[in-house]
């Protein structure tokens, strides 16, 4: 049974890394890691821990889109700007592994805003709003992942 806890811990750690470096499905790996530990236990502690971890993760996913999205709408940044950032981020990931994802995203958002807005300074302010919203989105998702991890650790301690 100890090996299941080790496997679950590894999956959770990779999931947390996947949130910060959005290459892996972080929240899915975290819930999967908790499930690997909880399901074979077939006791109340395992099921409660899994249920709470799923609820926290789902709430984090909903909040990740609602809260920063509201800020983006208020600042007037269109969805196509974020899509341009995502496309160049993926391209950047393959050109310069890992770091290229962030560089490509920033460049894509700025270029999309440069096309849409009259000058580079205005485009950069708008791009900064988009980048701030994405940063908040990552922080919200990471917070939910850390809470789910804490719930799992609590389950390990309890029993």
């Amino acid at each position: 049974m100890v090996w299941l806890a080790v496997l679950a811990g590894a999956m959770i750690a990779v999931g947390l890394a996947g949130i910060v470096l959005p290459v892996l499905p972080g929240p899915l790996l975290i819930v999967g890691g908790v499930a690997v530990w909880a399901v074979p236990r077939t006791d109340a502690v395992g099921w409660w821990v899994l249920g709470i971890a799923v609820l926290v993760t789902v709430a984090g996913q909903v909040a990740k889109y609602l809260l920063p999205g509201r800020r983006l709408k208020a600042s007037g940044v269109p969805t196509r700007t974020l899509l341009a950032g995502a496309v160049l981020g993926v391209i950047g990931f393959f050109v310069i592994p890992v770091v290229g994802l962030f560089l490509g995203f920033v460049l894509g958002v700025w270029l999309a805003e440069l096309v849409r807005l009259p000058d580079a300074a205005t485009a950069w302010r708008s791009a900064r709003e988009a980048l701030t919203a994405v940063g908040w989105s990552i922080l919200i998702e990471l917070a939910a992942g850390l809470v789910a991890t804490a719930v799992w650790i609590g389950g390990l301690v309890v029993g």
Side-chain angles (χ1 to χ4, degrees):
M1 215 51 163
V2 172
W3 67 273
L4 284 176
V6 171
L7 176 62
M11 288 176 70
I12 291 169
V14 171
L16 289 171
I19 291 172
V20 177
L21 299 170
V23 178
L24 301 169
L28 190 62
L29 282 169
I30 292 169
V31 169
V34 173
V36 162
W37 172 81
V39 171
R41 292 175 54 97
T42 66
D43 65 352
V45 172
W47 291 115
W48 274 102
V49 167
L50 180 59
I52 293 168
V54 168
L55 286 174
V56 166
T57 303
V58 168
Q61 292 300 299
V62 170
K64 155 187 163 173
Y65 290 108
L66 289 182
L67 300 177
R70 202 176 298 157
R71 181 180 176 146
L72 279 178
K73 257 192 201 288
S75 69
V77 176
T79 304
R80 70 177 177 268
T81 295
L82 294 177
L83 289 175
V87 167
L88 278 182
V90 169
I91 292 169
F93 177 77
F94 290 106
V95 174
I96 307 168
V98 183
V99 177
L101 179 69
F102 299 107
L103 295 175
F105 182 79
V106 171
L107 181 64
V109 167
W110 183 72
L111 287 174
E113 289 299 275
L114 189 59
V115 168
R116 186 176 77 88
L117 297 170
D119 61 64
T122 308
W124 179 247
R125 276 193 296 277
S126 183
R128 203 170 54 226
E129 282 292 324
L131 296 172
T132 301
V134 169
W136 276 110
S137 172
I138 291 170
L139 284 175
I140 290 167
E141 190 174 33
L142 182 60
L146 289 171
V147 169
T149 302
V151 169
W152 174 70
I153 291 170
L156 284 175
V157 170
V158 168

